[in-house]
Amino acid sequence: MAWRTGPQPVVIEGPRQAVGGAEILDLMRAASPPRQGEEDGGLDLYGEDAVAVQYKAWKKLHPSALEFFDSITSSARDKRVAVFLDYDGTLSPIVEDPERAFMSDQMRAVVKEVATLFPTAIISGRGREKVFSFVKLSELYYAGSHGLDIAGPSRAPAGNGSSEAIPVDGAEKDDLSVFQPAAEYVPLLDEIYARLQREVAPVPGAFVEHNKFSVTVHFRRVAEQYWEQLGEIVRTVVSEYPKLRTTHGRKVLEVRPKVEWNKGTALAYLLKALDLDDSSGVLPLYIGDDRTDEDAFNLFQERGCGCGILVSTVAKPTAAAYSLRDPSEVSDFLHRLVKWRQEDQKVDQASQ
C-alpha cells in the first residue's frame, strides 16, 4: 500500500530539561490518578463522596456518548465516518499485569463489525505487534508506539456494508506497507531497554516493556513508597541519551525518541494517508482513556471537527467532548454505531 504523504516527525530541539526526583514523582502522581476502588479498601484517595460529586459535575461538561448518541450520529449524517481506538483501558480493562490485557471475544466481534463498515484504526502506546497479538483482526490499521509504527491491511473496508473490500492507493493483494518515521532510533532503544531492565530490577513490582519504538516502565504494581526511587532511576538513565525523552502516562514512564510525534500527529497522518482529512465530509471518532490520547482530542479541537470520547470513571481535564465509563460502555457504543450504520444503509437502499 502506498501511503499518501502526511505530516512527518521533526526532531525536538532545545536544551534538555533537568527534572529532579521530587518533580518526577509529582508528574508520576499527576499522570496516574487513582480510580474508584483502587486503594484504601475500595475507596478513592480523594474520598468516595468527593469523587462522585466531582464526576457528576464533570459529566455535565463531558456527557455520556451513549446518552448523546443520536446527537453524534446526527452530526455524521451524509458524512464518511472513521473510527480510531486506544487499546488499554478502552478495548480491554486496565489490569495489574500488562501482559494479560486481553480483550473479550464480544469486544473483538464488535470491533470486527465496525471495521467492515468504517475505516478503523487502533492507536496505542504498545508495540504494534503486541497490540495485534491481543486484537487478532487483520482488517484494521494499527499504529503502535504512539504512532511511530503504522501499518494497514492490504485492502480497506468498502464502508458501504458490502463484504467486498476496495484497494487502498493501488495496493496489491497481500501487500502490507509500514510507516516507521523513527526507525533510526531502534538500536538506541534496544540499548536503553537493556539498561533499564538492569537498573529497575531492585524496585519491587517494576516491569520494563519494549515497544520497538518506545520503552515503557510500568509501575502499576509498584508501591507508592518506591515511585520516587523508580522515577529517579529512569531520569538518570535517560539523561545519558540526548536523543531520547521521558513522557508520563497512567502508571507508566515512557521513553521515546526525541521527535515531535504523538497520537495526535499519528491521527493526522492516518487521516491524510487514508484520504479522510476533508473536515466537511468526514467525521472521525476517537475513543481513548489515557493522558496520551489528549493529543488526538486536541487535534479535533484545533481542526474544529471530529468527536473525541474519553473513557474514565473519574473527573479529569480533557479536550474530549464526550465520555464513557469503561470498556463495557465502549462496547455498547460500538454496537450502537454498527446498528445505526446498518439501518442507515437499509434506508438508502430502499430509496434507490
Side-chain angles (χ1 to χ4, degrees), residues 4-16:
R4 289 182 59 207
T5 301
Q8 302 293 314
V10 296
V11 175
I12 300 173
E13 298 181 350
R16 296 182 59 79

Side-chain angles (χ1 to χ4, degrees), residues 16 185-200 208-210 212-217 233-246 254-257:
R16 296 182 59 79
Y185 292 88
V186 170
L188 204 58
L189 289 162
D190 289 342
E191 181 181 325
I192 201 169
Y193 169 68
R195 280 279 309 274
L196 286 170
Q197 275 198 311
R198 294 194 302 270
E199 298 291 340
V200 308
V208 184
E209 181 180 19
H210 198 334
K212 191 170 183 178
F213 294 100
S214 65
V215 174
T216 302
V217 180
I233 290 171
V234 175
R235 185 198 68 80
T236 300
V237 172
V238 175
S239 68
E240 299 176 20
Y241 295 83
K243 293 184 177 181
L244 302 177
R245 61 185 174 124
T246 305
E254 296 182 294
V255 181
R256 305 193 216 172

Side-chain angles (χ1 to χ4, degrees), residues 156-213:
N160 58 7
S162 69
S163 58
E164 182 180 359
I166 59 174
V168 179
D169 295 326
E172 298 296 332
K173 185 177 180 181
D174 299 326
D175 173 51
L176 181 68
S177 293
V178 177
F179 177 69
Q180 298 175 336
E184 65 186 276
Y185 292 88
V186 170
L188 204 58
L189 289 162
D190 289 342
E191 181 181 325
I192 201 169
Y193 169 68
R195 280 279 309 274
L196 286 170
Q197 275 198 311
R198 294 194 302 270
E199 298 291 340
V200 308
V203 181
F207 171 69
V208 184
E209 181 180 19
H210 198 334
N211 295 313
K212 191 170 183 178
F213 294 100

Side-chain angles (χ1 to χ4, degrees), residues 79-96:
K79 293 184 178 180
R80 299 169 65 196
V81 174
V83 180
F84 300 89
L85 305 161
D86 181 29
Y87 182 74
D88 293 276
T90 299
L91 299 181
S92 73
I94 295 294
V95 294
E96 290 295 311

